[in-house]
Coordinates of all heavy atoms in Angstrom, one line a residue:
A1 N 0.8 -1.2 0.0 CA 0.0 0.0 0.0 C 0.9 1.3 0.0 O 0.5 2.2 -0.6 CB -0.9 0.0 1.2
I2 N 2.0 1.2 0.7 CA 2.9 2.4 0.8 C 3.5 2.6 -0.6 O 3.5 3.8 -1.0 CB 4.0 2.1 1.9 CG1 3.4 2.1 3.2 CG2 5.1 3.2 1.8 CD1 4.3 1.5 4.3
V3 N 4.0 1.6 -1.2 CA 4.6 1.8 -2.5 C 3.6 2.3 -3.6 O 3.9 3.1 -4.4 CB 5.4 0.5 -3.0 CG1 5.8 0.6 -4.4 CG2 6.5 0.2 -2.0
A4 N 2.4 1.8 -3.5 CA 1.3 2.2 -4.4 C 1.0 3.7 -4.2 O 0.9 4.4 -5.1 CB 0.1 1.4 -4.2
A5 N 1.0 4.1 -2.9 CA 0.7 5.5 -2.6 C 1.9 6.4 -3.1 O 1.6 7.5 -3.7 CB 0.5 5.7 -1.1
L6 N 3.1 5.9 -2.9 CA 4.3 6.7 -3.4 C 4.3 6.9 -4.9 O 4.5 7.9 -5.4 CB 5.6 6.0 -3.0 CG 5.9 6.0 -1.5 CD1 7.2 5.1 -1.3 CD2 6.2 7.4 -1.0
G7 N 4.0 5.8 -5.6 CA 4.0 5.8 -7.0 C 2.9 6.7 -7.6 O 3.1 7.4 -8.6
A8 N 1.8 6.7 -6.9 CA 0.7 7.6 -7.4 C 1.0 9.0 -7.4 O 0.5 9.8 -8.2 CB -0.6 7.3 -6.5
V9 N 1.9 9.5 -6.5 CA 2.4 10.9 -6.5 C 3.8 11.0 -7.1 O 4.5 12.0 -6.9 CB 2.2 11.5 -5.1 CG1 0.8 11.6 -4.7 CG2 3.0 10.7 -4.1
D10 N 4.3 9.9 -7.8 CA 5.6 9.9 -8.4 C 6.7 10.2 -7.5 O 7.7 11.0 -7.8 CB 5.6 10.9 -9.6 CG 6.6 10.6 -10.6 OD1 7.1 9.4 -10.6 OD2 7.0 11.4 -11.4
V11 N 6.7 9.6 -6.3 CA 7.8 9.8 -5.3 C 8.8 8.7 -5.5 O 10.0 9.0 -5.6 CB 7.3 9.8 -3.9 CG1 8.4 9.9 -2.9 CG2 6.4 11.1 -3.7
G12 N 8.4 7.4 -5.5 CA 9.4 6.4 -5.5 C 8.8 5.0 -5.8 O 7.6 4.9 -6.0
Q13 N 9.6 4.0 -5.8 CA 9.1 2.6 -6.1 C 9.4 1.6 -5.0 O 9.3 0.4 -5.2 CB 9.8 2.2 -7.4 CG 9.6 3.1 -8.6 CD 10.5 2.8 -9.7 OE1 11.7 2.5 -9.5 NE2 10.0 2.9 -10.9
G14 N 9.8 2.1 -3.8 CA 10.2 1.1 -2.8 C 10.0 1.7 -1.4 O 9.9 2.9 -1.2
A15 N 9.9 0.8 -0.4 CA 9.8 1.1 1.0 C 10.4 0.0 1.8 O 10.4 -1.2 1.4 CB 8.3 1.3 1.3
V16 N 10.8 0.3 3.0 CA 11.2 -0.6 4.0 C 10.3 -0.6 5.2 O 10.0 0.4 5.7 CB 12.7 -0.3 4.5 CG1 13.1 -1.3 5.6 CG2 13.7 -0.4 3.4
V17 N 9.8 -1.8 5.5 CA 8.8 -2.0 6.6 C 9.3 -3.0 7.6 O 9.8 -4.1 7.1 CB 7.4 -2.3 6.1 CG1 6.4 -2.5 7.2 CG2 6.9 -1.3 5.1
A18 N 9.1 -2.8 8.9 CA 9.5 -3.8 9.9 C 8.5 -3.7 11.0 O 8.2 -2.6 11.5 CB 10.9 -3.5 10.4
N19 N 8.0 -4.8 11.4 CA 7.0 -4.9 12.5 C 5.8 -3.9 12.3 O 5.4 -3.3 13.3 CB 7.6 -4.7 13.9 CG 8.6 -5.8 14.2 OD1 8.5 -6.9 13.6 ND2 9.4 -5.6 15.2
G20 N 5.4 -3.7 11.1 CA 4.3 -2.8 10.8 C 4.6 -1.4 10.8 O 3.7 -0.5 10.6
L21 N 5.9 -1.0 10.9 CA 6.3 0.4 10.8 C 7.0 0.6 9.5 O 7.9 -0.2 9.1 CB 7.3 0.7 12.0 CG 6.8 0.5 13.4 CD1 8.0 0.7 14.4 CD2 5.7 1.5 13.7
C22 N 6.7 1.7 8.9 CA 7.5 2.1 7.7 C 8.7 2.8 8.1 O 8.7 3.9 8.8 CB 6.6 3.1 6.8 SG 7.5 3.6 5.3
L23 N 9.9 2.2 7.9 CA 11.2 2.8 8.3 C 11.7 3.8 7.3 O 12.5 4.7 7.6 CB 12.2 1.7 8.5 CG 11.8 0.6 9.6 CD1 13.0 -0.4 9.7 CD2 11.5 1.3 10.9
A24 N 11.4 3.5 6.0 CA 12.0 4.4 4.9 C 11.2 4.2 3.7 O 10.6 3.2 3.4 CB 13.4 4.0 4.7
V25 N 11.2 5.3 2.9 CA 10.6 5.2 1.6 C 11.6 5.7 0.5 O 12.4 6.6 0.8 CB 9.3 6.1 1.4 CG1 8.2 5.5 2.3 CG2 9.5 7.5 1.8
E26 N 11.5 5.2 -0.6 CA 12.4 5.6 -1.7 C 11.9 6.9 -2.3 O 10.8 7.1 -2.6 CB 12.4 4.5 -2.8 CG 13.4 4.8 -3.9 CD 13.4 3.8 -5.0 OE1 12.8 2.7 -4.8 OE2 13.9 4.1 -6.1
A27 N 12.9 7.8 -2.5 CA 12.6 9.1 -3.1 C 13.7 9.3 -4.2 O 14.4 8.4 -4.6 CB 12.6 10.2 -2.1
L28 N 13.8 10.6 -4.6 CA 14.8 10.9 -5.6 C 16.2 10.4 -5.5 O 16.8 9.9 -6.4 CB 14.8 12.4 -5.8 CG 15.6 12.9 -7.0 CD1 15.1 12.4 -8.3 CD2 15.6 14.5 -7.0
P29 N 16.8 10.3 -4.2 CA 18.1 9.8 -4.1 C 18.2 8.3 -4.5 O 19.3 7.8 -4.7 CB 18.5 10.0 -2.6 CG 17.6 11.2 -2.3 CD 16.3 11.0 -3.0
G30 N 17.1 7.6 -4.4 CA 17.1 6.2 -4.9 C 17.2 5.1 -3.8 O 17.2 5.4 -2.6
T31 N 17.2 3.9 -4.3 CA 17.1 2.7 -3.4 C 18.4 2.6 -2.6 O 18.3 2.4 -1.4 CB 17.0 1.4 -4.3 OG1 15.8 1.5 -5.1 CG2 17.1 0.2 -3.5
D32 N 19.5 2.8 -3.1 CA 20.8 2.7 -2.4 C 20.8 3.6 -1.2 O 21.1 3.3 -0.1 CB 22.0 2.9 -3.2 CG 22.2 1.7 -4.3 OD1 21.4 0.8 -4.2 OD2 23.2 1.8 -5.1
A33 N 20.4 4.9 -1.5 CA 20.4 5.9 -0.4 C 19.4 5.5 0.7 O 19.7 5.7 1.9 CB 20.1 7.3 -1.0
M34 N 18.3 5.0 0.3 CA 17.2 4.6 1.2 C 17.8 3.5 2.1 O 17.6 3.6 3.4 CB 16.0 4.2 0.5 CG 14.9 3.7 1.5 SD 13.5 2.8 0.7 CE 14.3 1.4 0.0
L35 N 18.4 2.5 1.5 CA 18.9 1.4 2.3 C 20.0 1.8 3.2 O 20.2 1.3 4.3 CB 19.3 0.2 1.4 CG 18.1 -0.5 0.7 CD1 18.6 -1.5 -0.3 CD2 17.2 -1.2 1.7
R36 N 20.9 2.7 2.7 CA 22.0 3.2 3.6 C 21.4 4.0 4.8 O 21.9 3.9 5.9 CB 22.9 4.1 2.8 CG 23.9 3.3 1.9 CD 24.9 4.3 1.2 NE 25.5 3.6 0.2 CZ 25.3 3.8 -1.1 NH1 24.4 4.7 -1.5 NH2 25.9 3.1 -2.1
G37 N 20.3 4.7 4.5 CA 19.7 5.4 5.6 C 19.1 4.5 6.7 O 19.3 4.8 7.9
V38 N 18.6 3.4 6.3 CA 18.1 2.4 7.2 C 19.3 1.8 8.0 O 19.2 1.6 9.2 CB 17.2 1.3 6.5 CG1 16.9 0.2 7.5 CG2 16.0 1.9 5.9
A39 N 20.3 1.5 7.3 CA 21.5 0.9 8.0 C 22.1 1.9 9.0 O 22.6 1.4 10.0 CB 22.6 0.5 6.9
D40 N 22.0 3.2 8.7 CA 22.6 4.2 9.6 C 21.6 4.5 10.8 O 22.1 5.3 11.7 CB 22.9 5.4 8.8 CG 24.1 5.3 7.9 OD1 24.8 4.3 8.1 OD2 24.2 6.1 7.0
M41 N 20.4 4.0 10.8 CA 19.5 4.3 11.9 C 20.0 3.7 13.2 O 20.5 2.6 13.1 CB 18.1 3.7 11.6 CG 17.2 4.5 10.7 SD 15.6 3.6 10.6 CE 14.9 4.6 9.4
P42 N 19.9 4.4 14.3 CA 20.2 3.7 15.6 C 19.4 2.5 15.8 O 18.2 2.4 15.4 CB 19.9 4.8 16.6 CG 19.8 6.1 15.9 CD 19.4 5.7 14.5
L43 N 20.0 1.4 16.3 CA 19.3 0.2 16.5 C 18.1 0.4 17.4 O 17.1 -0.4 17.3 CB 20.2 -0.9 17.1 CG 21.3 -1.4 16.2 CD1 22.3 -2.3 16.9 CD2 20.8 -2.0 14.9
S44 N 18.1 1.3 18.3 CA 16.9 1.6 19.1 C 15.7 2.1 18.4 O 14.6 2.0 18.9 CB 17.3 2.6 20.2 OG 17.7 3.8 19.6
L45 N 15.9 2.6 17.2 CA 14.8 3.1 16.4 C 14.3 2.1 15.4 O 13.2 2.3 14.9 CB 15.3 4.4 15.6 CG 15.6 5.6 16.5 CD1 16.0 6.8 15.6 CD2 14.4 6.0 17.3
R46 N 15.0 1.1 15.1 CA 14.5 0.2 14.0 C 14.4 -1.2 14.6 O 15.3 -1.7 15.2 CB 15.4 0.2 12.8 CG 16.8 -0.3 12.9 CD 17.5 -0.3 11.6 NE 18.9 -0.2 11.7 CZ 19.7 -1.3 11.6 NH1 19.2 -2.4 11.2 NH2 21.0 -1.1 11.8
P47 N 13.2 -1.8 14.4 CA 13.0 -3.2 14.8 C 14.0 -4.1 14.1 O 14.4 -3.8 12.9 CB 11.6 -3.5 14.4 CG 11.0 -2.2 14.1 CD 12.1 -1.3 13.7
K48 N 14.3 -5.2 14.7 CA 15.2 -6.2 14.0 C 14.4 -6.8 12.8 O 13.2 -7.0 12.9 CB 15.5 -7.3 15.0 CG 16.5 -8.3 14.4 CD 16.9 -9.4 15.4 CE 17.7 -10.4 14.7 NZ 19.0 -10.6 15.2
G49 N 15.1 -7.0 11.7 CA 14.5 -7.6 10.5 C 13.8 -6.5 9.7 O 14.2 -5.4 9.7
G50 N 12.9 -6.9 9.0 CA 12.2 -6.0 8.1 C 12.3 -6.4 6.6 O 13.1 -7.3 6.3
V51 N 11.5 -5.8 5.8 CA 11.5 -6.2 4.4 C 11.6 -4.9 3.5 O 10.9 -3.9 3.8 CB 10.2 -6.9 4.1 CG1 10.0 -7.2 2.6 CG2 10.1 -8.2 4.9
F52 N 12.3 -5.0 2.5 CA 12.4 -4.0 1.4 C 11.5 -4.5 0.3 O 11.6 -5.6 -0.2 CB 13.8 -3.8 0.9 CG 13.9 -3.0 -0.3 CD1 13.2 -1.8 -0.5 CD2 14.7 -3.4 -1.4 CE1 13.2 -1.1 -1.7 CE2 14.8 -2.7 -2.5 CZ 14.1 -1.5 -2.7
Y53 N 10.5 -3.7 -0.1 CA 9.6 -4.0 -1.2 C 9.8 -3.0 -2.3 O 9.8 -1.8 -2.1 CB 8.1 -4.0 -0.7 CG 7.2 -4.4 -1.8 CD1 7.1 -5.6 -2.3 CD2 6.3 -3.4 -2.4 CE1 6.2 -6.0 -3.4 CE2 5.4 -3.7 -3.4 CZ 5.4 -5.0 -3.9 OH 4.6 -5.3 -4.9
K54 N 9.8 -3.5 -3.5 CA 10.0 -2.7 -4.7 C 9.0 -3.1 -5.8 O 8.8 -4.3 -6.0 CB 11.4 -2.9 -5.3 CG 11.8 -2.0 -6.4 CD 12.9 -1.0 -6.1 CE 13.3 -0.2 -7.3 NZ 13.9 1.0 -6.9
A55 N 8.4 -2.1 -6.4 CA 7.4 -2.4 -7.4 C 7.3 -1.2 -8.4 O 7.7 -0.1 -8.1 CB 6.0 -2.6 -6.8
A56 N 6.8 -1.5 -9.6 CA 6.5 -0.4 -10.5 C 5.4 0.5 -10.0 O 4.6 0.1 -9.2 CB 6.1 -1.0 -11.9
K57 N 5.5 1.7 -10.4 CA 4.5 2.7 -10.0 C 3.2 2.4 -10.7 O 3.2 1.8 -11.8 CB 4.9 4.1 -10.4 CG 6.2 4.6 -9.8 CD 6.6 5.9 -10.3 CE 8.0 6.3 -9.9 NZ 8.5 7.5 -10.5
P58 N 2.0 2.7 -10.1 CA 0.8 2.5 -10.7 C 0.7 3.2 -12.0 O 1.1 4.4 -12.1 CB -0.3 3.1 -9.7 CG 0.4 3.0 -8.4 CD 1.9 3.2 -8.7
G59 N 0.4 2.5 -13.1 CA 0.3 3.1 -14.4 C 1.6 3.3 -15.1 O 1.7 3.9 -16.2
Q60 N 2.7 2.8 -14.5 CA 4.0 3.0 -15.1 C 4.1 2.2 -16.4 O 3.6 1.1 -16.5 CB 5.1 2.5 -14.1 CG 6.5 2.7 -14.7 CD 7.6 2.5 -13.6 OE1 7.3 2.5 -12.4 NE2 8.8 2.5 -14.0
D61 N 4.7 2.8 -17.4 CA 4.9 2.1 -18.7 C 6.0 1.0 -18.5 O 7.2 1.3 -18.3 CB 5.4 3.1 -19.7 CG 5.5 2.5 -21.1 OD1 5.5 1.2 -21.3 OD2 5.6 3.2 -22.1
L62 N 5.6 -0.3 -18.5 CA 6.5 -1.4 -18.2 C 7.4 -1.7 -19.3 O 8.3 -2.6 -19.2 CB 5.6 -2.6 -17.8 CG 4.8 -2.5 -16.6 CD1 4.0 -3.8 -16.3 CD2 5.6 -2.0 -15.4
R63 N 7.3 -0.9 -20.5 CA 8.2 -1.1 -21.6 C 9.5 -0.4 -21.4 O 10.5 -0.7 -22.0 CB 7.6 -0.7 -22.9 CG 6.3 -1.5 -23.2 CD 5.6 -0.9 -24.4 NE 5.2 0.4 -24.0 CZ 4.6 1.3 -24.9 NH1 4.5 1.0 -26.2 NH2 4.2 2.5 -24.5
I64 N 9.5 0.6 -20.5 CA 10.7 1.5 -20.3 C 10.8 1.8 -18.8 O 9.9 1.8 -18.0 CB 10.7 2.8 -21.1 CG1 9.5 3.6 -20.7 CG2 10.8 2.5 -22.6 CD1 9.5 5.0 -21.3
D65 N 12.0 2.0 -18.3 CA 12.3 2.5 -17.0 C 11.7 1.7 -15.9 O 11.0 2.2 -15.0 CB 11.8 4.0 -16.8 CG 12.3 4.6 -15.6 OD1 13.4 4.3 -15.1 OD2 11.6 5.5 -15.0
L66 N 11.9 0.4 -16.0 CA 11.4 -0.5 -14.9 C 12.3 -0.4 -13.6 O 13.5 -0.1 -13.7 CB 11.5 -2.0 -15.4 CG 10.4 -2.5 -16.3 CD1 10.7 -3.9 -16.7 CD2 9.0 -2.4 -15.6
P67 N 11.7 -0.6 -12.5 CA 12.5 -0.6 -11.2 C 13.5 -1.7 -11.4 O 13.2 -2.7 -12.0 CB 11.5 -0.9 -10.2 CG 10.1 -0.7 -10.7 CD 10.3 -0.8 -12.2
T68 N 14.7 -1.5 -10.7 CA 15.7 -2.5 -10.9 C 16.4 -2.8 -9.5 O 16.5 -2.0 -8.7 CB 16.8 -1.9 -11.8 OG1 16.2 -1.6 -13.1 CG2 17.9 -2.9 -12.1
L69 N 16.6 -4.1 -9.4 CA 17.4 -4.6 -8.2 C 18.6 -5.4 -8.7 O 18.6 -5.9 -9.8 CB 16.5 -5.6 -7.4 CG 15.2 -5.1 -6.9 CD1 14.4 -6.3 -6.3 CD2 15.4 -4.0 -5.8
G70 N 19.6 -5.5 -7.9 CA 20.8 -6.3 -8.3 C 21.6 -6.7 -7.0 O 21.1 -6.5 -5.9
P71 N 22.7 -7.3 -7.3 CA 23.5 -7.8 -6.2 C 23.8 -6.7 -5.1 O 23.9 -7.0 -3.9 CB 24.8 -8.3 -6.9 CG 24.3 -8.7 -8.2 CD 23.3 -7.7 -8.6
A72 N 24.1 -5.5 -5.6 CA 24.4 -4.4 -4.6 C 23.2 -4.1 -3.7 O 23.3 -3.8 -2.5 CB 24.7 -3.1 -5.4
T73 N 22.0 -4.3 -4.2 CA 20.8 -4.1 -3.4 C 20.7 -5.2 -2.3 O 20.4 -4.8 -1.2 CB 19.5 -4.3 -4.3 OG1 19.6 -3.5 -5.5 CG2 18.3 -3.9 -3.5
V74 N 21.1 -6.4 -2.6 CA 21.1 -7.5 -1.6 C 22.1 -7.1 -0.6 O 21.8 -7.3 0.6 CB 21.4 -8.8 -2.3 CG1 21.5 -9.9 -1.2 CG2 20.3 -9.2 -3.3
E75 N 23.3 -6.7 -1.0 CA 24.3 -6.3 0.0 C 23.9 -5.2 0.9 O 24.1 -5.3 2.2 CB 25.6 -5.9 -0.7 CG 26.3 -7.0 -1.4 CD 27.0 -8.0 -0.5 OE1 26.9 -7.9 0.8 OE2 27.7 -8.9 -1.0
L76 N 23.2 -4.2 0.4 CA 22.8 -3.1 1.2 C 21.6 -3.5 2.1 O 21.5 -3.0 3.3 CB 22.3 -1.9 0.3 CG 23.5 -1.2 -0.4 CD1 23.0 -0.2 -1.5 CD2 24.3 -0.4 0.6
A77 N 20.7 -4.4 1.6 CA 19.7 -4.9 2.5 C 20.2 -5.6 3.7 O 19.8 -5.5 4.8 CB 18.7 -5.7 1.7
A78 N 21.3 -6.4 3.4 CA 21.9 -7.1 4.5 C 22.6 -6.2 5.5 O 22.4 -6.4 6.7 CB 23.0 -8.1 3.9
K79 N 23.3 -5.2 5.0 CA 23.9 -4.2 5.9 C 22.8 -3.4 6.7 O 23.1 -3.0 7.8 CB 24.7 -3.2 5.1 CG 26.0 -3.8 4.6 CD 26.8 -2.8 3.8 CE 28.0 -3.5 3.2 NZ 28.8 -2.6 2.3
A80 N 21.6 -3.3 6.2 CA 20.5 -2.6 6.9 C 19.9 -3.5 7.9 O 19.0 -3.1 8.6 CB 19.5 -2.1 5.9
G81 N 20.3 -4.8 7.9 CA 19.7 -5.7 8.9 C 18.4 -6.3 8.5 O 17.6 -6.7 9.4
L82 N 18.0 -6.2 7.3 CA 16.7 -6.7 6.8 C 16.7 -8.2 6.7 O 17.7 -8.8 6.6 CB 16.3 -6.0 5.5 CG 16.3 -4.5 5.4 CD1 15.9 -4.0 4.0 CD2 15.4 -3.9 6.5
S83 N 15.4 -8.7 6.8 CA 15.3 -10.1 6.6 C 15.2 -10.6 5.2 O 15.4 -11.7 4.8 CB 14.0 -10.6 7.3 OG 14.1 -10.3 8.7
G84 N 14.7 -9.6 4.3 CA 14.6 -10.0 2.9 C 14.1 -8.9 2.0 O 13.9 -7.7 2.4
I85 N 14.0 -9.2 0.7 CA 13.6 -8.3 -0.3 C 12.4 -9.0 -1.0 O 12.5 -10.1 -1.5 CB 14.7 -8.1 -1.3 CG1 15.9 -7.4 -0.6 CG2 14.2 -7.2 -2.5 CD1 17.2 -7.3 -1.5
A86 N 11.3 -8.2 -1.1 CA 10.1 -8.7 -1.9 C 10.0 -7.7 -3.1 O 10.3 -6.5 -3.0 CB 8.9 -8.7 -1.1
F87 N 9.6 -8.2 -4.2 CA 9.4 -7.4 -5.4 C 8.3 -7.9 -6.3 O 7.9 -9.0 -6.2 CB 10.7 -7.3 -6.2 CG 11.3 -8.6 -6.6 CD1 11.1 -9.2 -7.8 CD2 12.2 -9.3 -5.7 CE1 11.6 -10.4 -8.2 CE2 12.7 -10.5 -6.1 CZ 12.4 -11.0 -7.3
Q88 N 7.8 -7.0 -7.1 CA 6.7 -7.2 -8.0 C 7.1 -8.1 -9.1 O 8.0 -7.7 -9.9 CB 6.1 -5.9 -8.5 CG 5.0 -6.1 -9.5 CD 4.6 -4.8 -10.1 OE1 5.4 -3.8 -10.2 NE2 3.4 -4.7 -10.5
A89 N 6.6 -9.3 -9.2 CA 6.9 -10.3 -10.2 C 6.5 -9.6 -11.6 O 5.4 -9.2 -11.7 CB 6.3 -11.6 -10.0
G90 N 7.4 -9.6 -12.5 CA 7.1 -9.1 -13.8 C 7.2 -7.6 -13.9 O 7.0 -7.0 -15.0
G91 N 7.4 -6.9 -12.8 CA 7.4 -5.5 -12.8 C 8.8 -4.9 -12.4 O 8.9 -3.7 -12.2
V92 N 9.7 -5.8 -12.1 CA 11.1 -5.3 -11.6 C 12.1 -6.1 -12.4 O 12.0 -7.3 -12.5 CB 11.2 -5.6 -10.1 CG1 12.6 -5.3 -9.6 CG2 10.2 -4.8 -9.3
I93 N 13.2 -5.4 -12.8 CA 14.3 -6.1 -13.4 C 15.3 -6.5 -12.3 O 15.6 -5.8 -11.4 CB 15.0 -5.2 -14.4 CG1 14.1 -4.8 -15.5 CG2 16.3 -5.8 -14.9 CD1 14.7 -3.7 -16.4
C94 N 15.7 -7.8 -12.4 CA 16.7 -8.3 -11.5 C 18.0 -8.5 -12.3 O 18.1 -9.4 -13.1 CB 16.3 -9.6 -10.8 SG 14.9 -9.4 -9.7
L95 N 19.0 -7.7 -11.9 CA 20.3 -7.8 -12.6 C 21.1 -9.0 -12.0 O 21.2 -9.0 -10.8 CB 21.1 -6.5 -12.4 CG 20.4 -5.2 -12.9 CD1 21.3 -4.0 -12.6 CD2 20.2 -5.3 -14.5
D96 N 21.5 -9.9 -12.8 CA 22.3 -11.0 -12.3 C 21.5 -11.8 -11.1 O 22.0 -11.9 -10.0 CB 23.7 -10.6 -11.8 CG 24.6 -11.8 -11.8 OD1 24.2 -12.9 -11.9 OD2 25.8 -11.5 -11.6
L97 N 20.3 -12.3 -11.5 CA 19.5 -13.0 -10.5 C 20.3 -14.1 -9.8 O 20.2 -14.3 -8.6 CB 18.2 -13.5 -11.1 CG 17.2 -14.1 -10.1 CD1 16.9 -13.1 -9.0 CD2 16.0 -14.5 -10.9
P98 N 21.1 -14.9 -10.5 CA 21.8 -16.0 -9.8 C 22.7 -15.5 -8.7 O 22.8 -16.0 -7.7 CB 22.6 -16.7 -10.9 CG 21.8 -16.5 -12.2 CD 21.2 -15.1 -12.0
Q99 N 23.4 -14.3 -9.0 CA 24.3 -13.7 -8.0 C 23.5 -13.2 -6.9 O 23.9 -13.3 -5.7 CB 25.1 -12.6 -8.7 CG 26.1 -11.9 -7.7 CD 27.2 -12.8 -7.2 OE1 27.5 -13.9 -7.7 NE2 27.8 -12.4 -6.1
M100 N 22.3 -12.6 -7.2 CA 21.4 -12.1 -6.1 C 21.0 -13.2 -5.2 O 21.0 -13.1 -4.0 CB 20.2 -11.4 -6.7 CG 20.4 -10.1 -7.4 SD 18.9 -9.4 -8.1 CE 17.8 -9.2 -6.7
I101 N 20.6 -14.3 -5.8 CA 20.2 -15.5 -5.0 C 21.4 -16.0 -4.1 O 21.2 -16.3 -2.9 CB 19.7 -16.6 -5.9 CG1 18.4 -16.1 -6.5 CG2 19.5 -17.9 -5.1 CD1 17.9 -17.0 -7.7
A102 N 22.6 -16.1 -4.7 CA 23.7 -16.6 -3.9 C 24.0 -15.6 -2.8 O 24.3 -16.1 -1.7 CB 24.9 -16.7 -4.9
L103 N 24.0 -14.3 -3.0 CA 24.3 -13.4 -2.0 C 23.3 -13.4 -0.9 O 23.6 -13.4 0.3 CB 24.4 -12.0 -2.6 CG 25.7 -11.6 -3.3 CD1 25.5 -10.3 -4.0 CD2 26.9 -11.6 -2.4
A104 N 22.0 -13.5 -1.3 CA 20.9 -13.5 -0.3 C 21.0 -14.7 0.6 O 20.9 -14.7 1.8 CB 19.5 -13.5 -1.0
S105 N 21.3 -15.9 0.0 CA 21.5 -17.1 0.7 C 22.7 -17.0 1.7 O 22.6 -17.3 2.9 CB 21.7 -18.3 -0.2 OG 21.9 -19.5 0.5
A106 N 23.8 -16.4 1.2 CA 25.0 -16.3 2.1 C 24.8 -15.3 3.2 O 25.4 -15.4 4.3 CB 26.2 -15.8 1.2
R107 N 23.9 -14.3 3.0 CA 23.6 -13.3 4.0 C 22.4 -13.6 4.9 O 22.0 -12.8 5.8 CB 23.4 -11.9 3.4 CG 24.6 -11.4 2.4 CD 25.8 -11.1 3.2 NE 26.8 -10.6 2.3 CZ 27.7 -11.3 1.6 NH1 27.7 -12.6 1.6 NH2 28.6 -10.7 0.9
G108 N 21.7 -14.7 4.6 CA 20.6 -15.1 5.4 C 19.3 -14.3 5.0 O 18.4 -14.2 5.9
L109 N 19.2 -13.8 3.8 CA 18.1 -13.0 3.4 C 17.2 -13.8 2.5 O 17.7 -14.7 1.8 CB 18.5 -11.7 2.6 CG 18.8 -10.5 3.4 CD1 20.1 -10.6 4.2 CD2 18.9 -9.3 2.4
F110 N 15.9 -13.5 2.4 CA 15.1 -14.1 1.4 C 14.8 -13.2 0.3 O 14.9 -12.0 0.4 CB 13.7 -14.6 2.0 CG 12.8 -13.4 2.5 CD1 12.0 -12.8 1.6 CD2 12.8 -13.1 3.8 CE1 11.2 -11.7 2.0 CE2 11.9 -12.0 4.2 CZ 11.2 -11.3 3.3
L111 N 14.6 -13.7 -0.9 CA 14.1 -13.0 -2.1 C 12.7 -13.5 -2.4 O 12.6 -14.8 -2.5 CB 15.0 -13.2 -3.3 CG 16.5 -12.6 -3.1 CD1 17.3 -13.0 -4.3 CD2 16.5 -11.1 -2.8
W112 N 11.7 -12.7 -2.6 CA 10.4 -13.2 -2.9 C 9.8 -12.3 -4.0 O 9.6 -11.1 -3.9 CB 9.5 -13.1 -1.7 CG 8.1 -13.6 -1.9 CD1 7.7 -14.7 -2.5 CD2 7.0 -12.9 -1.4 NE1 6.3 -14.8 -2.5 CE2 5.8 -13.7 -1.8 CE3 6.7 -11.8 -0.6 CZ2 4.5 -13.4 -1.5 CZ3 5.4 -11.4 -0.3 CH2 4.3 -12.2 -0.7
A113 N 9.5 -12.9 -5.1 CA 8.7 -12.3 -6.2 C 7.3 -12.4 -5.9 O 6.7 -13.5 -5.9 CB 9.1 -12.9 -7.6
R114 N 6.6 -11.3 -5.8 CA 5.2 -11.3 -5.4 C 4.3 -11.0 -6.6 O 4.5 -10.1 -7.3 CB 4.9 -10.3 -4.3 CG 3.5 -10.1 -3.9 CD 3.4 -9.0 -2.9 NE 2.1 -8.9 -2.3 CZ 1.1 -8.2 -2.9 NH1 1.3 -7.6 -4.1 NH2 -0.1 -8.2 -2.4

């Protein structure tokens, strides 16, 4: 619901949620900056775990400018202490998916195409 609301006003394509709390939303600086921001939060402010969700904006032209995830995203999600990454199946490009899977497995994260 958060990502859909962000997309409707053309803010971003992702959000980090943990224990029902929205910890961060993607804006102009992008996914990497958002995940670094979560990693830099004091542990007292962020619940353990959490999920990064990424999806195309409502009405986004899926022929161009698709949201993108890659191995660096997995590394940053791990540094942020997240439990995993969920993304819109068919609406997100995964760069080097085998490497993403290997990194996620090595870091104890899940990847879920929704």
